[in-house]
């Protein structure tokens, strides 16, 4: 877990530079949204953003906490909370097994993966420890802030140097469109390359 803290510290340092609020990131970032995306309680997210450390939780306990977090924070389309029976059906198991997991057990990876996909959560939502989960959730925030600070960054990172050379004559909308197009092309090439191997 020490590597997770080091990785998180690097991202926090860079975010502090980009926001102009080093050491005061909870003021600059949406702590509630980060909590919702990671399943990590708001107070823990704030502590980690401040550079603090949190007690390590065992995997089974973390999975149970995140399952309870989903039940508390994810709502059905009608705004009501999902029942244990509904969550069990989504997971592909019985209500009794789901109740056991919440008390002391550990669901199978297939069951938590069904829940994760149903709710549109990241791959490590149930299993990543708190610093890892926050590090992953901060990646798009960091990318957006870096793109705002340097609009040509996305073009340079994708190896499109010649195109980037023309970018100073483009307005912000044209730059964003060009960067999106370049990312689509590169993604398509990666898929083709993966299909060949």
């Amino acid at each position: 877990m020490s590597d997770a803290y080091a990785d998180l510290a690097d991202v926090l340092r860079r975010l502090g530079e980009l926001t102009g609020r080093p050491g005061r990131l909870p003021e600059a970032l949406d702590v509630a949204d980060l909590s919702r995306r990671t399943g990590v309680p708001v107070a823990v997210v704030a502590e980690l953003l401040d550079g603090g450390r949190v007690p390590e939780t065992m995997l089974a306990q973390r999975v149970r906490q995140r399952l309870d977090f989903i039940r508390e924070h994810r709502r059905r389309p009608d705004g009501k909370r999902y029942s244990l029976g509904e969550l069990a059906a989504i997971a592909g198991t019985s209500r009794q097994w789901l109740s056991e997991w919440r008390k002391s057990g550990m669901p199978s990876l297939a069951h938590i993966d069904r829940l994760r996909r149903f709710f549109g959560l990241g791959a490590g939502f149930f299993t990543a420890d708190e610093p890892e989960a926050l590090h992953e959730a901060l990646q798009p925030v960091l990318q957006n802030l870096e793109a705002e600070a340097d609009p040509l960054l996305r073009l340079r990172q994708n190896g499109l140097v010649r195109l980037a050379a023309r970018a100073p004559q483009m307005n912000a909308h044209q730059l964003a469109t060009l960067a999106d197009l370049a990312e689509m092309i590169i993604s398509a090439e990666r898929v083709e390359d993966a299909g060949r191997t």
Side-chain angles (χ1 to χ4, degrees), residues 111-160:
H111 291 126
I112 62 172
D113 192 54
R114 285 186 192 117
L115 285 167
R116 180 195 66 75
R117 285 185 286 126
F118 179 84
F119 289 105
L121 303 167
F125 180 85
F126 283 100
T127 56
D129 63 26
E130 289 79 359
E132 289 172 321
L134 185 57
H135 177 268
E136 187 64 29
L138 288 172
Q139 293 307 308
V141 174
L142 179 59
Q143 290 169 357
N144 288 338
L145 287 172
E146 285 178 334
E148 287 175 16
D150 181 2
L152 302 179
L153 180 65
R154 288 169 58 192
L155 295 174
R156 284 195 295 272
Q157 284 178 331
N158 291 322
L160 301 170

Side-chain angles (χ1 to χ4, degrees), residues 45-157:
V45 170
E47 179 68 25
L48 290 169
L49 288 175
D50 276 336
R53 290 186 173 253
V54 296
E56 187 173 347
T57 56
M58 301 304 293
L59 180 60
Q61 179 186 1
R62 198 164 44 244
V63 170
R64 288 192 300 271
Q65 287 172 345
R66 307 265 168 90
L67 182 59
D68 286 340
F69 187 90
I70 283 177
R71 187 151 185 255
E72 186 61 35
H73 296 282
R74 300 288 197 238
R75 301 293 178 184
R76 298 184 333 201
D78 64 4
K80 294 182 180 177
R81 211 162 96 162
Y82 283 91
S83 70
L84 287 178
E86 289 169 320
L87 288 177
I90 292 165
T93 190
S94 69
R95 185 184 184 288
Q96 291 78 15
W97 273 109
L98 188 72
S99 294
E100 280 301 310
W101 299 339
R102 290 182 65 230
K103 292 177 188 168
S104 62
M106 176 77 170
S108 73
L109 292 177
H111 291 126
I112 62 172
D113 192 54
R114 285 186 192 117
L115 285 167
R116 180 195 66 75
R117 285 185 286 126
F118 179 84
F119 289 105
L121 303 167
F125 180 85
F126 283 100
T127 56
D129 63 26
E130 289 79 359
E132 289 172 321
L134 185 57
H135 177 268
E136 187 64 29
L138 288 172
Q139 293 307 308
V141 174
L142 179 59
Q143 290 169 357
N144 288 338
L145 287 172
E146 285 178 334
E148 287 175 16
D150 181 2
L152 302 179
L153 180 65
R154 288 169 58 192
L155 295 174
R156 284 195 295 272
Q157 284 178 331

